[in-house]
Amino acid sequence: QLVESGGGLVQPGGSLRLSCTASRFIFRIDAMGWYRQAPGKERELVASVDNRGSPIYGDSVKGRFTCFRDSAKNVVYLQMNNLKPEDTAVYYCNVYSHNNDYWGQGSQVTVAS
C-alpha cells in the first residue's frame, strides 16, 4: 500500500530526502508522515502533515527536517538537512485514514563519517 524510497548513508551535516507513495486505493487520507525507530528505542514521530497542509514535527528534528505532501499524487516527502548521527534509524512512512494506520516497509538512514 505504501512504497518508500530515498534512504541511505550520509555524512554528518549532509542531507537526504525520503519519499512515500500511497496506493490510490487508500481513500480519504487524513494525514501522511514519518516515524523512525532506532535500535533499542521505541518508534517515534518525526513529522506529519494533515489535510490542511499543516505539519507537526518531533522536537529533535525541528528546524532541520521539512515534511510536505502532494495530495493529488498521494505522495509525502521528508527533506532532512543537517543530519546528525543520532538521526540514524529506520524511517517508516505512515498514512492515517478512516481510523486506520498504514505503514511503509521502512527505509534505513545511517548518518556516519
Side-chain angles (χ1 to χ4, degrees), residues 25-100:
F25 295 109
I26 301 177
F27 299 106
R28 292 181 57 186
I29 292 174
D30 298 305
M32 301 181 77
W34 299 88
Y35 287 70
R36 69 185 182 187
Q37 187 166 20
K41 295 187 177 181
E42 294 186 354
R43 191 172 295 191
E44 64 174 357
L45 172 70
V46 178
S48 183
V49 183
D50 64 15
N51 281 339
R52 298 168 298 175
S54 299
I56 58 172
Y57 296 96
D59 288 342
S60 61
V61 305
K62 286 179 181 177
R64 300 187 297 122
F65 290 11
T66 302
C67 184
F68 55 101
R69 59 189 277 192
D70 183 338
S71 295
K73 298 181 179 180
N74 275 6
V75 180
V76 63
Y77 302 93
L78 184 68
Q79 177 65 43
M80 303 182 288
N81 297 330
N82 190 22
L83 282 158
K84 304 176 180 181
E86 51 264 42
D87 294 317
T88 295
V90 178
Y91 285 69
Y92 295 93
C93 177
N94 172 264
V95 168
Y96 184 71
S97 172
H98 286 273
N99 296 320
N100 291 314

